[in-house]
């Protein structure tokens, strides 16, 4: 299995001299099974350079797994070049939207309106299919078993566990560890705490023993209080998840867009200093645009 990062920034593309080393594109991760089946986690701006590499191996069948519909995770989808070429297939997977009452097809239908993009979906030449997923209901994509899990974000957000040929990856999408919204002396605290504990158990099950965990580590612990409720994790929360679930390698991603590469490396080093690796601990890495991890 191969994991290649095409976009590792959060919230908004951040190109420029300060983000050259880790990249400025928003979330997009290519997964290749040992059978060379193509799965793509999110369609941030990183999907545009990915799509250009696919033109040498047409026809393309791409399974795109959308974690959630915030712009930085779908913005590149209209620019997925294989969509403009007959013979290709785009299969878009994602969640039901309880607000609109529509399935994942809404991602394309909204973006491909003339108000936002000059080409309508009806004018796309590729075959486009939609698969609306339900939490913890696995689907088979070639040799890969894909299981979505509900994460914690201000919109329905799926984390995905992908298993194939005895190997496994879990991607959190955007995720903030749940916290009790009640004070300990308020009615409702105990019941909500049970919900949090159940949620944590489900997340541990989702991540358990994976070879690669890719997790939202937008903030430092010092930054987090002013961002609480925005739906993102910290380096520390990701390291704790990785240790709890017994994963082999943790990739921290969704890098804060205002953080330069130098600053990113500095805060990552601080987090590692607070969590020095012990025997059997995971390997900790920063996701870097262009990096490919094969296992």
């Amino acid at each position: 299995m191969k994991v290649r990062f095409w976009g590792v920034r959060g919230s908004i593309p951040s190109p420029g001299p300060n983000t050259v080393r880790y990249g400025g594109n928003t979330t997009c991760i290519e997964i290749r099974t040992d059978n060379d089946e193509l799965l793509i986690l999110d369609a941030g701006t990183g999907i545009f350079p990915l799509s250009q590499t696919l033109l040498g191996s047409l026809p393309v069948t791409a399974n795109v797994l959308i974690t959630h519909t915030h712009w930085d995770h779908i913005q590149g989808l209209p620019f997925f070049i294989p969509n403009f070429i007959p013979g290709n297939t785009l299969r878009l997977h994602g969640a039901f939207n309880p607000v609109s009452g529509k399935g994942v097809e809404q991602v394309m239908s909204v973006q491909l309106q003339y108000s936002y993009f000059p080409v309508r979906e009806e004018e796309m030449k590729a075959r486009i299919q939609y698969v609306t997923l339900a939490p913890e209901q696995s689907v088979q994509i070639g040799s890969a078993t894909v299981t979505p899990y509900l994460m914690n974000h201000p919109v329905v957000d799926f984390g995905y566990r992908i298993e194939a040929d005895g190997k496994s990856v879990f991607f959190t999408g955007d995720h903030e560890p749940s916290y009790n919204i009640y004070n300990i002396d308020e009615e409702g605290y105990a019941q909500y705490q049970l919900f949090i504990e159940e949620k944590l158990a489900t997340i541990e099950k989702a991540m358990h023993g994976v070879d690669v965990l890719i997790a939202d580590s937008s903030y430092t612990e010092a930054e987090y209080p002013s961002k609480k409720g925005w739906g993102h994790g910290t380096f520390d929360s990701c390291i704790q998840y990785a240790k709890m679930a017994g994963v082999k390698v943790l990739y921290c991603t969704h890098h804060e867009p205002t953080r330069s590469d130098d600053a990113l490396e500095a805060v990552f080093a601080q987090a590692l200093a607070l969590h020095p690796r012990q025997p059997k601990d995971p390997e900790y890495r920063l996701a870097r645009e262009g990096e490919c991890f094969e296992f």
Side-chain angles (χ1 to χ4, degrees):
M1 183 178 283
K2 295 179 183 175
V3 176
R4 187 184 298 274
F5 295 94
W6 292 94
V8 299
R9 292 283 163 182
S11 303
I12 190 168
S14 305
N18 292 329
T19 58
V20 168
R21 293 201 302 281
Y22 288 89
N25 280 308
T26 63
T27 302
C28 182
I29 304 162
E30 176 185 4
I31 307 288
R32 291 278 183 176
T33 68
D34 291 349
N35 293 338
D36 203 34
E37 292 141 333
L38 172 61
L39 291 79
I40 301 171
L41 291 163
D42 277 337
T45 58
I47 202 171
F48 180 58
L50 163 60
S51 72
Q52 295 174 67
T53 69
L54 302 176
L55 301 181
S57 54
L58 300 177
V60 170
T61 297
N63 286 277
V64 178
L65 305 167
I66 298 294
T67 60
H68 65 296
T69 54
H70 285 165
W71 281 114
D72 53 323
H73 296 258
I74 63 171
Q75 188 176 4
L77 198 55
F79 299 89
F80 188 63
I81 299 173
N83 284 349
F84 297 86
I85 303 172
N88 296 326
T89 299
L90 170 70
R91 196 169 294 124
L92 195 67
H93 305 252
F96 178 80
N97 186 326
V99 176
S100 68
K102 295 181 179 178
V104 70
E105 70 277 2
Q106 183 180 239
V107 173
M108 289 287 272
S109 64
V110 170
Q111 287 194 97
L112 299 183
Q113 296 174 6
Y114 278 143
S115 299
Y116 306 110
F117 198 71
V119 182
R120 295 177 305 157
E121 183 176 349
E122 291 78 6
E123 298 172 84
M124 296 282 180
K125 304 299 183 185
R127 181 170 56 176
I128 300 176
Q129 301 172 336
Y130 301 101
V131 182
T132 297
L133 303 172
E136 301 182 48
Q137 299 295 310
S138 299
V139 295
Q140 198 70 28
I141 300 176
S143 62
T145 302
V146 178
T147 308
Y149 287 88
L150 270 178
M151 308 302 285
N152 185 41
H153 200 57
V155 67
V156 174
D157 182 301
F158 279 158
Y160 289 105
R161 183 181 178 111
I162 301 172
E163 301 168 283
D165 303 305
K167 303 163 188 176
S168 53
V169 174
F170 186 82
F171 176 47
T172 64
D174 289 3
H175 173 67
E176 178 179 12
S178 300
Y179 56 88
N180 203 316
I181 59 176
Y182 296 97
N183 293 321
I184 196 167
D185 57 347
E186 289 182 316
E187 183 180 357
Y189 178 89
Q191 185 175 358
Y192 203 84
Q193 192 61 31
L194 284 175
F195 163 76
I196 290 174
E197 291 169 4
E198 291 172 359
K199 189 74 178 174
L200 181 61
T202 299
I203 290 174
E204 182 176 7
K205 172 187 169 187
M207 298 177 175
H208 182 73
V210 293
D211 296 286
V212 178
L213 170 63
I214 307 166
D216 172 0
S217 58
S218 295
Y219 306 129
T220 67
E221 286 296 296
E223 294 165 343
Y224 177 69
S226 65
K227 317 288 187 182
K228 193 172 183 178
W230 290 14
H232 297 289
T234 66
F235 294 102
D236 300 73
S237 66
C238 293
I239 289 172
Q240 289 165 9
Y241 276 140
K243 294 173 71 170
M244 172 190 71
V247 311
K248 293 178 182 174
V249 178
L250 165 67
Y251 274 99
C252 293
T253 191
H254 207 274
H255 305 320
E256 217 287 328
T258 63
R259 210 186 309 280
S260 69
D261 288 333
D262 289 343
L264 178 62
E265 291 178 346
V267 295
F268 186 58
Q270 291 170 5
L272 296 187
L274 291 173
H275 302 274
R277 286 190 70 219
Q278 305 297 320
K280 299 185 179 180
D281 274 357
E283 180 179 349
Y284 306 126
R285 300 185 179 192
L286 282 172
R288 183 193 302 263
E289 201 172 299
E291 180 175 344
C292 182
F293 182 71
E294 184 171 358
F295 57 102

